[in-house]
Amino acid sequence: MYKEILVPLDGSEVSASSLPTARQLAQSLGARVHLLQVSSQTEEFAVLRGAEFGTMGSDYSQQVLDEVMAAQRDRIERYLDEVGAGLASDGLTVVNAVEDGQPADKIVDYAEAAGIDLIIMSTHGRGGVRRFLVGSVTDKVIRSTHLPVLVIHPE
């Protein structure tokens, strides 16, 4: 049935709340788990904005941007390695991936490219004006893919 399960993570406890369900399903189905974190580049854009307003020289700002991006990618890779090791210790096969861009778009793109059968993700549970202003990655994924999406609401 489901042989490739995607679990998007953002490093928060809320996103990690989908892991127990993903673990249980993957074990019972013999599925491979794909852990994906998307770097949305918010820190990087702040650095670039500084260059746009003349607070940094462009060569310097590009160097700083490169360093910030490398440090962010290293943090993400370490996080995914740690989470993946926990799943692998339960006998699961785990694939880690890091993408750069808009989270919902990259989650859907990765799912299609990797032959994902099921996406399991949590929701932050924002409502009202905050959801309208910030948006919901989970909602955007659900509306952008033909794949089944299992949404976990954290306690």
Side-chain angles (χ1 to χ4, degrees), residues 4-71:
E4 303 290 334
I5 297 174
L6 174 59
V7 182
L9 299 170
D10 65 10
S12 70
E13 286 183 34
V14 171
S15 73
S17 67
S18 62
L19 289 168
T21 301
R23 174 184 284 117
Q24 185 177 22
L25 275 174
Q27 285 175 326
S28 65
L29 298 170
R32 180 169 31 186
V33 177
H34 296 250
L35 301 176
L36 170 67
Q37 187 165 348
V38 179
S39 171
S40 63
Q41 305 173 351
T42 53
E43 294 172 275
E44 296 84 348
F45 289 135
V47 172
L48 284 177
R49 277 195 298 274
E52 289 174 10
F53 295 113
T55 58
M56 288 189 240
S58 62
D59 290 340
Y60 176 74
S61 63
Q62 185 60 49
Q63 178 185 356
V64 171
L65 175 62
D66 292 344
E67 290 173 8
V68 169
M69 289 177 71

Side-chain angles (χ1 to χ4, degrees), residues 10 102-104 121-143:
D10 65 10
Q102 295 298 319
M121 58 192 305
S122 63
T123 181
H124 284 271
R126 294 184 185 105
V129 174
R130 187 164 185 203
R131 180 174 179 174
F132 175 75
L133 294 174
V134 176
S136 166
V137 172
T138 304
D139 185 56
K140 290 175 187 173
V141 169
I142 291 168
R143 294 176 189 276

